[in-house]
Each structure stands twice: as structure tokens, then as C-alpha cells.
């Protein structure tokens, strides 16, 4: 193989060259990319003339793919592709994709379609490095905690501050309410690493009040978003970023003056998270079987 992996930062991110992702991968190439993803958490590829069908074919090398989203419409004619379009809203908050369902995607691919002339970077954070950064007393506490994740979350924007279009987008996003309890510390099924599994959809620590929960979550989240743990990727046209959704968070920076920005997203179906004590996540509200199959930890 001519595949080459070049680190972008010390703790997260690598560029992958020497492989043409517009064609089917060999088993050796797919295995090498999976290993690189385990190590670096986020990988960047030149996508050439990759289209929606090619992006889906690439993602399928790593497992079954989900439909686009539990509540948000897909690209027309491509039910497994989600348009991440600035005209449809901006994900400018730290989150892990779709953690409000029982088995969130194990991996996410983003392909650049329209890139603004400045700004519009994507931040991706290494949640395993964040866990390792915790002082021992905080690590022991985090290992015991569970959090409720929901799509019907506090946007921290008062209703009177949003227009009718934004209200309609919010209503669409919450048209089915999901609530799931996940371990605050998730054990990665392939590497055995522990990572902080929280982010914007985590709204309450099980057993604590809303106010107490927010203080604990904010404290832990501050370790995830330390600059040392974050890759800040500046997009060019025709690139694809693949990141491990089991052990990262990401944030799309709204710093491009409302100019057009469009990425297409395809996600790989995941397993049910498991905490440090071996207990699996459990659903409280909402059936996501139309969105994603449950996969085994082998993927």
C-alpha cells in the first residue's frame, strides 16, 4: 500500500494520502484507515470528484450507514445523506452526533460542497484526551455518572429572539422527542480507551438537579474543549473528513458572515455505548429504529 498518515496536531487529526477514496477500498486499505481513525480520531482526505453515492460507498467500508437523521430531511433522492447547509441552521455548539438515540453513529463523514472564502472551520475535540486530563478525583467521579441526552434541549436562545424560519427548524428537529441515558464515561469498544461522552445534547446528570447537572457538565466539558485537544480544520473544496463519533465532539464555527457553506454528511451506524462498569445505555423516550440499525462492537 502507498497509504500515508501525517499527523496534523499532537493529540487529534491526521491527513491521509496515497489512497483514492472515489474507488472501492481494498480490505487492507480499509483496515489501515480504521486503525488510523482509532489512533488519530479524525482523518482528512482529498475527495476529488466524490459524489453522494461515492461518499456513501466510502462510509460503508466501516459498517452499515444510517438514514440522514431521525427528524431532519435528507438530500432529495439520497435518504442516507444529510445536507449540513448554513441556510438550514448552524451547529455552532459542541456536540457528538445524535447522542439522544440509543446507539449514536460510530463514525461521521463530512464532504465539502460549498466553502466560504473565509471562516467556516470545523472544530473536532478528542474526548479520550480530555478524560486523561482529568485529575484523579474527577476521573473517579465521572466514571460513576450517567447523563440524559435529548434533542429537545435548551438552545439558550429565548423564543422571542428567533424568527419564524428558525422556529420551524426547531420544531422539525424536535418533531419526535428522544431521551436516552448514556454513561458520562464511555469505553471505546475497539481501543478500550475511556472518553467523556457528553456534549450539547447531554442536559442532566441522572440523580442531580438541573442546576447541579449544569455545573458538573460544564466542568467536564471544559476539559474536552481545551485547545490542546482540538483540531481546527479549515475546509477546502472537495475534501472529506472522517471522525470517530464514539470519542470526539465537534463544533461548526459561525464566523463567515452568512456566506454560503454546505457540507454533506453520511454517518455509520453504531453500537450501544457501554460505561466503565460494563452497563449499556438505555432509552427513555423515542424510537429511532427508522434511523439506525444497532451494530455489533466488531465494526
Amino acid at each position: 500500500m502507498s497509504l500515508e498518515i501525517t499527523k496534523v496536531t499532537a493529540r487529534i487529526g491526521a491527513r491521509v494520502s496515497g489512497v483514492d477514496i472515489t474507488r472501492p477500498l481494498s480490505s487492507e486499505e480499509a483496515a489501515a484507515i480504521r486503525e488510523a481513525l482509532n489512533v488519530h480520531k479524525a482523518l482528512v482526505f482529498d475527495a476529488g470528484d466524490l459524489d453522494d453515492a461515492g461518499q456513501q460507498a466510502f462510509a460503508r467500508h466501516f459498517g452499515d450507514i444510517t438514514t440522514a437523521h431521525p427528524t431532519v430531511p435528507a438530500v432529495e433522492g439520497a435518504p442516507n445523506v444529510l445536507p449540513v447547509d448554513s441556510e438550514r441552521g448552524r451547529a455552532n455548539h459542541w456536540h457528538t452526533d445524535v447522542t439522544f438515540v440509543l446507539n449514536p453513529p460510530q463514525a461521521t463523514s463530512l464532504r465539502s460542497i460549498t466553502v466560504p472564502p473565509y471562516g467556516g472551520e470545523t472544530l473536532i475535540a478528542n474526548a479520550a484526551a480530555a478524560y486523561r486530563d482529568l485529575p484523579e478525583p474527577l476521573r473517579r467521579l465521572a466514571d460513576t455518572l450517567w447523563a440524559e441526552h435529548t434533542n429537545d434541549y435548551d438552545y439558550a436562545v429565548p423564543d422571542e429572539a428567533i424568527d419564524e424560519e428558525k422556529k420551524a427548524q426547531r420544531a422539525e428537529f424536535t418533531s419526535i422527542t428522544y431521551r436516552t441515558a448514556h454513561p458520562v464515561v464511555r469505553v471505546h469498544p475497539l481501543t478500550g480507551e475511556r472518553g467523556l461522552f457528553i456534549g450539547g445534547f447531554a442536559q442532566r446528570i441522572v440523580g442531580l438537579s438541573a442546576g447541579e447537572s449544569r455545573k458538573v457538565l460544564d466542568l467536564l466539558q471544559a476539559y474536552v474543549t481545551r485547545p490542546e485537544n482540538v483540531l481546527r480544520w479549515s475546509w477546502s473544496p472537495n475534501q472529506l473528513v472522517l471522525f470517530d463519533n464514539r470519542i470526539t465532539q465537534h463544533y461548526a464555527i459561525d464566523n463567515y458572515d452568512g456566506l454560503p457553506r454546505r457540507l454533506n454528511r453520511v454517518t455509520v451506524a453504531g453500537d450501544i455505548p457501554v460505561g466503565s462498569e460494563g452497563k449499556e445505555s438505555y432509552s427513555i423516550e423515542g424510537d429511532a429504529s427508522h434511523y439506525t440499525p444497532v451494530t455489533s462492537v466488531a465494526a
Side-chain angles (χ1 to χ4, degrees), residues 152-174:
D152 190 13
Y153 65 99
D154 180 4
Y155 288 76
V157 179
D159 288 343
E160 61 270 17
I162 63 174
D163 58 23
E164 291 303 313
E165 182 180 10
K166 293 292 190 297
K167 286 181 181 178
Q169 290 169 349
R170 182 181 296 189
E172 177 183 71
F173 193 80
T174 59

Side-chain angles (χ1 to χ4, degrees), residues 86 90 116-118 256-261:
S86 58
R90 303 180 185 196
Y118 53 85
Y256 45 98
D257 289 332
L259 295 164
R261 178 184 185 272

Side-chain angles (χ1 to χ4, degrees), residues 25 49 59 67 90 104 113 117 119 125 157 213 237 246 267 284 289:
L25 302 178
D49 57 357
T67 57
R90 303 180 185 196
I113 308 296
V157 179
S213 296
R246 292 161 165 155
T267 51
I284 300 168
S289 57

Side-chain angles (χ1 to χ4, degrees), residues 29-285:
E29 288 172 329
I33 291 170
R34 168 65 78 183
E35 178 58 28
L37 187 63
N38 289 343
V39 172
H40 300 288
K41 313 304 188 250
L43 303 176
V44 181
F45 301 82
D46 291 325
D49 57 357
L50 194 72
D51 58 11
D52 287 339
Q55 185 177 358
Q56 293 172 77
F58 173 77
R60 283 192 177 96
H61 286 290
F62 309 102
D64 295 332
I65 61 176
T66 72
T67 57
H69 193 273
T71 58
V72 178
V75 170
E76 185 175 355
N80 303 97
V81 182
L82 180 74
V84 181
D85 194 328
S86 58
E87 294 184 0
R88 293 179 53 168
R90 303 180 185 196
N92 56 329
H93 65 100
W94 282 104
H95 65 288
T96 298
D97 281 335
V98 203
T99 59
F100 45 83
V101 304
L102 179 62
N103 60 307
Q106 52 132 319
T108 295
S109 69
L110 292 173
R111 176 171 57 95
S112 54
I113 308 296
T114 302
V115 176
Y118 53 85
E121 302 97 333
T122 296
L123 305 179
I124 308 173
N126 184 339
Y131 176 81
R132 292 193 295 269
D133 285 343
L134 293 175
E136 183 61 28
L138 271 183
R139 206 179 301 153
R140 289 199 304 268
L141 172 63
D143 281 336
T144 69
L145 298 177
W146 285 69
E148 285 190 16
H149 295 234
T150 180
N151 61 327
D152 190 13
Y153 65 99
D154 180 4
Y155 288 76
V157 179
D159 288 343
E160 61 270 17
I162 63 174
D163 58 23
E164 291 303 313
E165 182 180 10
K166 293 292 190 297
K167 286 181 181 178
Q169 290 169 349
R170 182 181 296 189
E172 177 183 71
F173 193 80
T174 59
S175 57
I176 304 172
T177 298
Y178 293 95
R179 285 194 303 140
T180 301
H182 292 300
V184 165
V185 175
R186 180 179 185 177
V187 179
H188 195 286
L190 299 183
T191 68
E193 288 181 290
R194 297 184 182 192
L196 292 175
F197 197 63
I198 44 177
F201 300 122
Q203 290 294 294
R204 184 187 289 265
I205 298 293
V206 174
L208 299 185
S209 70
E212 292 166 337
S213 296
R214 183 44 48 202
K215 289 181 174 65
V216 172
L217 288 167
D218 286 348
L219 175 61
L220 297 175
Q221 182 68 14
Y223 284 87
V224 177
T225 57
R226 280 183 166 184
E228 296 89 342
N229 295 333
V230 176
L231 169 68
R232 182 174 182 138
W233 188 254
S234 298
W235 291 94
S236 297
N238 304 313
Q239 289 183 324
L240 183 140
V241 172
L242 176 70
F243 54 84
D244 191 332
N245 200 58
R246 292 161 165 155
I247 206 158
T248 62
Q249 289 183 31
H250 57 284
Y251 184 118
I253 308 175
D254 183 5
N255 62 350
Y256 45 98
D257 289 332
L259 295 164
R261 178 184 185 272
R262 166 75 178 268
L263 310 174
N264 277 6
R265 186 179 92 182
V266 176
T267 51
V268 184
D271 50 300
I272 299 173
V274 175
S276 56
E277 298 174 339
K279 182 180 176 183
E280 290 187 340
S281 301
Y282 56 93
S283 177
I284 300 168
E285 181 180 2

